[in-house]
Amino acid sequence: MAKPFSGLQREMYLKKMTQRELDVLVIGGGITGAGIALDAVSRGMKTGLVEMQDFAAGTSSRSTKLVHGGLRYLKQLEFNIVKESGQERAIVFENAPHVTQPEWMLLPLLKGGTYGKLATSVGLKMYDTLAGVRKHERRKMLNRKETLEKEPLLRDDEKLKGGGYYVEYKTDDARLTLEVIKEAVYRGAQAVNYTKAENLLYENGKVVGARVTDRRTGETYDIRAKHVVNAAGPWVDELREKDGSKQGKYLHLTKGVHIVLDQSKFPLRQAVYFDTEDDGRMVFAIPRRNKAYIGTTDTYYEGEIANPRMTEADMDYLIKAANYMFPSKQITREDVESSWSGLRPLIHEEGKSASEISRKDETFISESGLISIAGGKLTGYRKMAERIIDRIAKQEGIKKKCITDKIVLSGGDVGGSDKLQAFVSGAVEKGVSLGLSVEEAEVLSELYGSNILRVYEIMETQGEEAKNYGLPEGIYASLVYGVEEEMVYSPIDFLNRRTSALFFNMPYVQKYKNGVLRYMAHRFNWTDEELDKHIEMLEEEIYYAKNPVKTEENN
């Protein structure tokens, strides 16, 4: 049974972090910080993590949701990134197969397009070699007819010459981040969301911890640590400024937007990586159950970091790109059901466009000893963490090497990646016996992996209480599990980062949001004022998921 990681016990976890000096304090609960916490605790270090929003609320829930080898990096001659990414995605797949699955990707070859037939064939073969692609997943070159058979929505004209066919890996980025953090917590780390590092603590010019504020209660805590790691993603430079060490290289934020459509409007059956018409950028179109999503944009960003929003220009760019490659459907703004916008914290490179900037990570060590890490990509999170903790281990004389390549993450205990489908089949059968439909049981089993057994246990023991909140038993059990064992503290935590419903099932959100609010108001003893605040935050996120922001350039 999973150990508690409860939204009801946040204050207790914070107090525990103040009661002893930690070996490592991680600031930032995205995938990078999560990976660092897991690596540190798995080597026996006393570890704490604070996140000022919800876990994965920043970049780590707003990606293209691929653990990929990075074909585009071959074009930039970044062979090491391709090689490392390929190796790492195989590790993620084995250790967290419930949130990482192979996804065949079609690369249409167009006359005058970014990739020619020979270059694509050679590039994909090199990609297979560098990324260590398994034999049955190696690239195939398709003729025009075969390409259209894979995806009939593709433009059927003289421009289409054929296609390349290769494997990427799809993921649920927020749940992957959460499973890493949960695994770290199960192994002894302390981790708390909605807790902001307001200031760093110093002694004799050296950083010795952080003063943090619980954003829900306003209480402050001093957490002391031998090593403080700044893994705050887009906020990395803000902490470097507080440390007085923002010198030399600095962050360059770029924004990526994705839009979601229902399969009834855009019946995509094959993931496609395709050229845009105007600027030659490459965009993904990826099916996900009865939805499809398209993205991403890549533009410089200078607005509010916490809430980047889709603009009308972003939406129009993606719609135009889709209608160029899939002209038979001609989607419109009205067809867009939801969207998300995320920021990439890249290292600035003078004279390069947003899409040309390297995705390599960089580590900065200040005179105070603050360790900051920025750049990188989701796929490489584990190696980024290893490099950071190797440095700390060396300083502390710790001999134990990194073992995270062998750690099965929370929810991943399904007997190995090759046993996943058998596990899901058994879990679905169990769910149906409890009254779920086959589809409901499949969704929950794929969402929680081996932790679905705990969700089912809640259904069996507390399911009758669901009717008090107007919720189906499966959703109620999922919500209880989220609050008690996944540190859900706000409705948007559950409806977005824990279930992805805000992005991929807006009708679900609209139908059950009031029941979710009622349950959480009861469980957390919210005042009327607190309830109104959560309602306002949730409605704002629902609104902006659908509606683009009007900007001067659009008007």
Side-chain angles (χ1 to χ4, degrees):
M1 180 184 295
K3 298 178 184 177
F5 178 42
S6 173
L8 301 165
Q9 302 295 327
R10 293 174 58 261
E11 291 178 51
M12 183 188 75
Y13 302 145
L14 275 168
K15 288 176 182 175
K16 286 184 71 173
M17 275 194 264
T18 68
Q19 291 170 358
R20 61 176 181 172
E21 183 185 43
L22 301 173
D23 294 313
V24 179
L25 172 62
V26 183
I27 299 174
I31 189 64
T32 304
I36 292 168
L38 177 58
D39 197 327
V41 76
S42 67
R43 299 201 215 188
M45 300 180 191
K46 297 186 291 291
T47 305
L49 180 150
V50 293
E51 162 57 48
M52 74 172 186
Q53 302 185 102
D54 184 29
F55 303 116
T59 303
S60 297
S61 61
R62 302 164 184 254
S63 73
T64 306
K65 306 186 187 300
L66 293 173
V67 181
H68 62 99
L71 179 64
R72 65 189 292 268
Y73 306 122
L74 279 181
K75 189 177 179 182
Q76 299 170 354
L77 305 181
E78 297 194 86
F79 303 120
N80 286 337
I81 290 182
V82 177
K83 182 176 181 179
E84 183 176 289
S85 296
Q87 294 168 343
E88 287 303 303
R89 72 179 187 180
I91 291 171
V92 176
F93 177 48
E94 195 57 44
N95 293 342
H98 63 303
V99 290
T100 315
Q101 297 93 36
E103 179 82 13
W104 279 95
M105 191 73 60
L106 179 62
L107 177 64
L109 304 178
L110 302 184
K111 183 178 181 180
T114 301
Y115 294 96
K117 184 175 181 180
L118 179 59
T120 299
S121 179
V122 172
L124 288 178
K125 185 174 179 60
M126 187 181 299
Y127 178 79
D128 285 347
T129 301
L130 288 171
V133 174
R134 297 180 296 179
K135 187 174 182 179
H136 66 280
E137 293 179 351
R138 290 175 187 168
R139 69 96 172 90
K140 305 169 186 176
M141 295 304 296
L142 309 177
N143 60 33
R144 187 174 182 279
K145 180 182 177 183
E146 291 169 329
T147 301
L148 286 169
E149 287 174 349
K150 293 292 184 187
E151 182 46 70
L153 291 186
L154 286 171
R155 59 183 307 132
D156 184 7
D157 60 17
E158 71 284 350
K159 274 183 171 285
L160 183 65
K161 300 300 180 184
Y165 200 49
Y166 67 105
V167 165
E168 292 284 20
Y169 282 62
K170 63 183 177 182
T171 190
D172 183 325
D173 48 4
R175 285 216 61 87
L176 174 61
T177 301
L178 190 69
E179 302 294 27
V180 176
I181 292 177
K182 285 163 64 181
E183 189 61 38
V185 168
Y186 299 165
R187 290 170 178 266
Q190 299 288 334
V192 182
N193 54 5
Y194 295 105
T195 301
K196 184 177 182 180
E198 300 284 1
N199 292 292
L200 298 171
L201 303 176
Y202 296 90
E203 287 182 4
N204 301 317
K206 297 297 181 182
V207 65
V208 294
R211 176 162 294 165
V212 305
T213 300
D214 184 340
R215 298 179 68 192
R216 295 318 190 194
T217 66
E219 285 196 53
T220 61
Y221 302 82
D222 284 355
I223 303 174
R224 302 179 69 83
K226 295 177 183 177
H227 302 274
V228 178
V229 181
N230 171 16
W235 291 270
V236 158
D237 276 356
E238 287 190 12
L239 267 180
R240 292 174 72 204
E241 285 179 355
K242 290 182 178 183
D243 184 56
S245 59
K246 185 185 169 185
Q247 302 169 2
K249 294 182 178 181
Y250 58 91
L251 291 191
H252 205 139
L253 303 181
T254 72
K255 183 178 71 169
V257 173
H258 299 76
I259 57 175
V260 180
L261 306 112
D262 192 82
Q263 286 276 353
S264 63
K265 299 288 186 180
F266 188 62
L268 186 76
R269 68 188 194 192
Q270 165 68 58
V272 181
Y273 185 40
F274 64 96
D275 298 68
T276 57
E277 181 179 14
D278 294 335
D279 57 11
R281 283 199 70 253
M282 301 296 291
V283 170
F284 290 98
I286 301 175
R288 177 165 166 157
R289 284 197 171 269
N290 59 346
K291 308 294 178 183
Y293 64 98
I294 301 168
T296 179
T297 60
D298 203 351
T299 54
Y300 287 133
Y301 184 77
E302 296 181 344
E304 182 189 3
I305 295 177
N307 294 298
R309 302 298 187 190
M310 172 179 64
T311 65
E312 291 182 331
D314 295 328
M315 181 185 278
D316 290 343
Y317 177 89
L318 292 174
I319 289 174
K320 183 178 181 182
N323 286 339
Y324 170 69
M325 185 55 64
F326 310 100
S328 63
K329 288 303 164 187
Q330 291 301 304
I331 60 175
T332 68
R333 286 188 179 186
E334 288 66 38
D335 296 326
V336 176
E337 286 195 353
S338 187
S339 71
W340 68 89
S341 305
L343 301 180
R344 308 175 189 89
L346 307 178
I347 309 301
H348 177 75
E349 294 183 64
E350 199 65 44
K352 288 195 174 183
S353 69
S355 59
E356 290 175 329
I357 296 178
S358 173
R359 270 51 177 175
K360 290 184 294 187
D361 60 281
E362 294 258 4
T363 301
F364 308 101
I365 311 295
S366 76
E367 291 184 7
S368 73
L370 177 68
I371 305 171
S372 300
I373 184 164
K377 49 205 285 287
L378 181 146
T379 312
Y381 85 89
R382 197 194 64 81
K383 290 299 290 185
M384 292 164 64
E386 181 179 348
R387 288 190 281 270
I388 293 293
I389 300 303
D390 276 350
R391 180 187 293 269
I392 292 173
K394 184 176 181 180
Q395 284 184 248
E396 295 297 322
I398 296 173
K399 302 297 184 183
K400 189 172 183 179
K401 300 296 184 182
C402 176
I403 61 170
T404 55
D405 59 330
K406 298 294 192 297
I407 291 177
V408 175
L409 299 181
S410 170
D413 190 15
V414 297
S417 59
D418 58 334
K419 302 291 195 306
L420 176 65
Q421 291 309 313
F423 176 88
V424 170
S425 295
V428 168
E429 185 176 341
K430 169 71 171 175
V432 170
S433 74
L434 294 175
L436 297 175
S437 70
V438 171
E439 183 177 4
E440 288 170 336
E442 285 177 347
V443 169
L444 289 176
S445 299
E446 291 170 1
L447 196 66
Y448 295 110
S450 54
N451 290 326
I452 186 61
L453 303 179
R454 173 64 180 133
V455 178
Y456 286 163
E457 184 179 277
I458 295 170
M459 281 185 68
E460 291 178 295
T461 58
Q462 304 177 43
E464 282 295 310
E465 297 177 26
K467 61 178 179 290
N468 296 331
Y469 305 98
L471 294 172
E473 289 188 15
I475 293 173
Y476 176 77
S478 184
L479 178 57
V480 172
Y481 177 74
V483 169
E484 294 184 351
E485 302 192 31
E486 294 192 333
M487 204 170 278
V488 165
Y489 194 75
S490 135
I492 198 66
D493 299 345
F494 177 70
L495 293 170
N496 184 352
R497 268 85 59 180
R498 305 304 183 275
T499 63
S500 295
L502 182 73
F503 296 158
F504 296 107
N505 197 346
M506 191 62 81
Y508 170 109
V509 174
Q510 296 288 9
K511 186 172 182 179
Y512 299 118
K513 63 183 180 182
N514 290 334
V516 171
L517 283 158
R518 286 201 301 274
Y519 171 80
M520 295 190 68
H522 167 74
R523 200 70 194 275
F524 288 101
N525 295 313
W526 288 339
T527 63
D528 289 344
E529 183 180 356
E530 288 173 322
L531 175 57
D532 288 343
K533 184 178 179 181
H534 282 289
I535 291 172
E536 181 182 351
M537 289 190 298
L538 178 57
E539 292 298 336
E540 180 180 357
E541 290 303 311
I542 291 172
Y543 177 83
Y544 282 115
K546 169 68 177 176
N547 297 286
V549 174
K550 292 185 178 181
T551 59
E552 290 183 6
E553 65 190 79
N554 304 133
N555 295 337

